[in-house]
Amino acid sequence: MKQENSCVLEHRLYQGDYRLLKLSAPLIGPLVQPGQFVHVKIPRLEQAVLRRPFSVFKADASGLSILYKTVGKGTAALTTVADGEPVNLIGPLGTGFPTAGNGKTPVLVAGGYGNAALYLQAARLPVKGVAFFGGRTSGDVLCVDEFEALGWEVRIATDDGSLGRKGFVTAALDEWLAEQESGVRSQGAGGGEQNETFQSLELFACGPNAMLRAVGDRALAKGLTAWLSMDRNMACGVGACLTCVIKRKTAGGWEWARCCKDGPVFNAEEILWED
Amino acid sequence: MNKPDLKVRIGSLEMKNPVTVASGTFGYGPEYAGLVDLDRLGAITVKGICTEPHVGNATPRTFETAGGMLNAIGLPGPGAQGFIKKYLPFYEKYSVPLIVNIWGKTVEDYSRVAEIFNDQARIGALEVNVSCPNVKEGGALYGTDVNLFRTVVDAVRVRTQKPLIVKLAPNVADIKVFARAAQECGAEAVSIMNSYPAMAIDIETRRPQLANRTGGLSGPAIKPIAVKLVWEAARAITIPIIGMGGIYTPEDALEFIIAGASAVAVGTASFTDPSSAVRVIEGVEAWMAAKGIGSIAELRGTVQA
């Protein structure tokens, strides 16, 4: 965890209203692990006392980038930063995705630009699998080429059917999981091996809370491991203020866990969802 | 140019500079240790602790407003024994004085937590939170009724030899009444102010922005309120005042000291920039040196009003 005065290397429209912001971050960039985030002091947002957390899309010694769209005052102000402008960062923050377990076959599930938070994981996982991307329309499905270039098979679902399968990404996932479970696509010979193939699936997901919950519920019902990147409003970003807490199951009930420190990535079986 | 003497004393607690952090904004200390050299601070004030572990409020717990934020965290915490086990050992490798903020649902709770911490040598002072706007039991009630206020401060006083700092509520008709009561009950200092009771509503859902419905406003928006309360209290009492409320810059801290504070706390500013407290210390020292002011005492309460 470092605090760094970074500088804007590149800031441009990426696709539709989505923007790519690349920052020089020689201290923070090389430290970023998949699923971690940076806490950004937005320039010229003088009335705001809080930083804004952003998942890291790509990161290396040359810098780190984030993918965002305008959802509020902070992101609206962020659209005005110019090349060369200083931007103060704290990061990398939080507990990100674990590497897939031995012999596991990774599956990525993302809603909208949630897949930005999965990119580093996709790049660093030794085994590439299938990635499910959902969005409202084709314009909300991003980075397909980039994931394919890493060796992932990308399957798309859109609410309006303008790209890929029509419907939620979880419907596409369901269909595929059912195929895997029944062994339709299995290359293996015996039923036991098919089952083993299915049980080797490990899910990594980022997107809206309803999608994460749906992914987690499916994984738990089928005995699979799922890692969910949770999004909550944050204040401090370092685990001090206890704003971004979610309920984590314990032996006797539940406890608060901090999305900024204990998460944002949690094992689906840990999360006690609130209605 | 001589270096000014920044030392401040609160009873037996010696701060090498007048800057601490406001309870609740700095966790228990370790959270910021990777970003801030904790030993640079005059003292660390940790999040409020009561006797037993406490779960706090539902979410959402904070909401950003113009020039500030609302919080209704509700004092979740590990309880007195949990704090001693989980966090006190962390301070063995630091020399920074430690102020522990304590609270209770009942007067007996306050006594017990004070008694438990009285045996802990690493704890330099207790800050008594009688003014949390976000817990239903006790909390703000003890801070706004002067008879209850005295009962709590008396009860804590008899259970501890450690310096007592009483954190005052801002939402009272006359801050001087509470400042005097704290002094008369034997407190070594008062801290002014806690966050100001406040509310924000989502106009689309017509629901409050906080699960607790109301919360405490902090940040630059409340600074002028806090300066006024410090100024008023300073004329009523002789014990030190720790001023807080929206301090972001050295100039903010100096304003509080000129109003009558002996020390200050940086709160919400740590969220905006974790290095705020250290920048305040450096800037206060540089400003005093440039003006040839030799000590905090020389500057304190020098407002021409």
Side-chain angles (χ1 to χ4, degrees):
Chain A
M1 176 171 60
K2 309 273 184 198
Q3 186 169 0
E4 182 170 25
N5 268 317
S6 73
C7 147
V8 177
L9 296 175
E10 185 184 355
H11 190 199
R12 63 176 170 87
L13 283 171
Y14 184 78
Q15 175 179 315
D17 296 333
Y18 296 92
R19 287 169 196 268
L20 178 81
L21 176 64
K22 184 170 183 187
L23 301 159
S24 74
L27 289 178
I28 295 172
L31 300 175
V32 177
Q33 295 299 312
Q36 288 190 300
F37 68 96
V38 287
H39 218 17
V40 180
K41 178 79 180 77
I42 310 266
R44 293 186 300 285
L45 192 60
E46 299 305 330
Q47 289 208 329
V49 296
L50 300 179
R51 287 170 180 257
R52 299 293 189 270
F54 292 91
S55 290
V56 176
F57 174 33
K58 297 178 179 176
D60 56 36
S62 76
L64 64 83
S65 58
I66 61 180
L67 203 52
Y68 75 99
K69 69 171 176 179
T70 301
V71 293
K73 279 179 277 199
T75 41
L78 192 59
T79 63
T80 68
V81 305
D83 284 4
E85 192 169 348
V87 177
N88 191 267
L89 300 178
I90 301 172
L93 296 173
T95 306
F97 291 107
T99 55
N102 249 348
K104 291 281 187 180
T105 307
V107 178
L108 309 181
V109 188
Y113 59 132
N115 61 2
L118 293 169
Y119 182 83
L120 283 178
Q121 179 73 346
R124 293 184 192 178
L125 282 172
V127 179
K128 315 298 180 193
V130 181
F132 292 87
F133 294 166
R136 271 175 304 163
T137 72
S138 60
D140 299 308
V141 180
L142 285 73
C143 311
V144 174
D145 295 349
E146 303 227 37
F147 280 80
E148 284 178 344
L150 293 173
W152 289 79
E153 179 191 341
V154 177
R155 298 190 172 207
I156 298 165
T158 49
D159 297 358
D160 65 356
S162 55
L163 190 66
R165 184 189 201 286
K166 186 176 186 330
F168 286 157
V169 68
T170 41
L173 176 68
D174 281 341
E175 195 176 274
W176 184 81
L177 285 175
E179 284 173 16
Q180 300 304 303
E181 201 167 17
S182 68
V184 167
R185 288 169 55 86
S186 172
Q187 304 301 309
E193 193 173 329
Q194 286 162 16
N195 196 279
E196 245 172 60
T197 307
F198 181 75
Q199 290 303 324
S200 78
L201 300 177
E202 186 166 8
L203 279 59
F204 302 91
C206 184
N209 284 318
M211 185 209 88
L212 293 176
R213 183 172 186 171
V215 170
D217 287 349
R218 279 160 176 74
L220 295 184
K222 293 179 181 300
L224 304 176
T225 302
W227 300 94
L228 312 179
S229 177
M230 302 289 284
D231 183 18
R232 284 289 185 280
N233 283 338
M234 290 178 183
C236 75
V238 299
C241 74
L242 310 178
T243 290
C244 62
V245 293
I246 62 165
K247 288 179 177 174
R248 178 164 63 187
K249 293 176 195 164
T250 61
W254 61 270
E255 63 183 5
W256 293 117
R258 303 161 297 180
C259 281
C260 69
K261 188 81 179 178
D262 308 306
V265 176
F266 292 92
N267 188 320
E269 68 182 6
E270 294 180 288
I271 299 171
L272 182 62
W273 294 95
E274 292 188 87
D275 293 316
Chain B
M1 209 178 301
N2 288 332
K3 276 195 161 221
D5 178 7
L6 296 182
K7 280 200 292 292
V8 174
R9 255 184 179 288
I10 302 205
S12 59
L13 181 81
E14 206 170 279
M15 295 167 61
K16 64 177 177 290
N17 66 61
V19 181
T20 184
V21 288
S23 178
T25 62
F26 211 72
Y28 301 100
E31 298 87 348
Y32 277 103
L35 296 170
V36 180
D37 179 356
L38 303 184
D39 281 336
R40 292 291 307 277
L41 304 175
I44 286 182
T45 308
V46 300
K47 191 166 174 59
I49 312 275
C50 64
T51 52
E52 301 303 319
H54 188 67
V55 74
N57 289 331
T59 59
R61 289 173 159 184
T62 60
F63 182 74
E64 190 178 51
T65 57
M69 63 181 285
L70 300 180
N71 88 81
I73 307 290
L75 297 169
Q81 296 300 346
F83 175 76
I84 290 167
K85 274 197 208 79
K86 198 169 170 194
Y87 294 105
L88 263 194
F90 166 82
Y91 284 97
E92 282 166 17
K93 57 183 179 290
Y94 293 96
S95 59
V96 63
L98 182 60
I99 300 171
V100 174
N101 182 288
I102 60 169
W103 70 281
K105 296 174 190 170
T106 63
V107 175
E108 178 58 22
D109 280 349
Y110 279 98
S111 308
R112 279 184 49 223
V113 70
E115 189 167 29
I116 294 167
F117 287 145
N118 191 47
D119 298 334
Q120 297 297 328
R122 186 63 184 81
I123 297 175
L126 299 180
E127 181 180 56
V128 188
N129 184 359
V130 287
S131 47
C132 180
N134 303 321
V135 291
K136 285 177 188 66
E137 314 89 346
L141 191 60
Y142 292 123
T144 53
D145 177 316
V146 75
N147 294 320
L148 287 173
F149 176 93
R150 282 177 182 277
T151 310
V152 171
V153 181
D154 279 338
V156 172
R157 179 72 286 171
V158 299
R159 302 293 181 95
T160 186
Q161 282 79 55
K162 294 193 187 292
L164 272 192
I165 305 159
V166 185
K167 189 163 186 177
L168 304 188
N171 49 315
V172 293
D174 186 355
I175 196 82
K176 298 189 292 295
V177 170
F178 291 84
R180 280 196 207 101
Q183 179 169 293
E184 286 161 13
C185 293
E188 273 78 2
V190 293
S191 38
I192 299 175
M193 58 182 253
N194 211 316
S195 56
Y196 202 98
M199 187 178 194
I201 297 166
D202 181 328
I203 59 167
E204 299 303 330
T205 63
R206 304 192 188 188
R207 289 170 186 270
Q209 298 281 12
L210 298 173
N212 191 53
R213 296 180 293 182
T214 63
L217 179 63
S218 67
I222 67 167
K223 195 190 81 177
I225 299 174
V227 170
K228 182 231 184 203
L229 295 176
V230 166
W231 172 66
E232 287 181 335
R235 297 186 299 170
I237 56 174
T238 54
I239 57 175
I241 297 169
I242 305 175
M244 61 195 73
I247 295 177
Y248 267 63
T249 64
E251 293 77 13
D252 294 334
L254 290 161
E255 191 178 344
F256 273 88
I257 294 166
I258 291 168
S262 296
V264 297
V266 171
T268 302
S270 293
F271 298 160
T272 317
D273 187 338
S275 68
S276 298
V278 171
R279 278 189 297 105
V280 167
I281 294 164
E282 288 170 350
V284 166
E285 180 168 25
W287 187 89
M288 287 173 62
K291 302 276 182 188
I293 296 166
S295 70
I296 296 292
E298 198 180 311
L299 184 63
R300 187 186 62 231
T302 53
V303 58
Q304 303 296 301

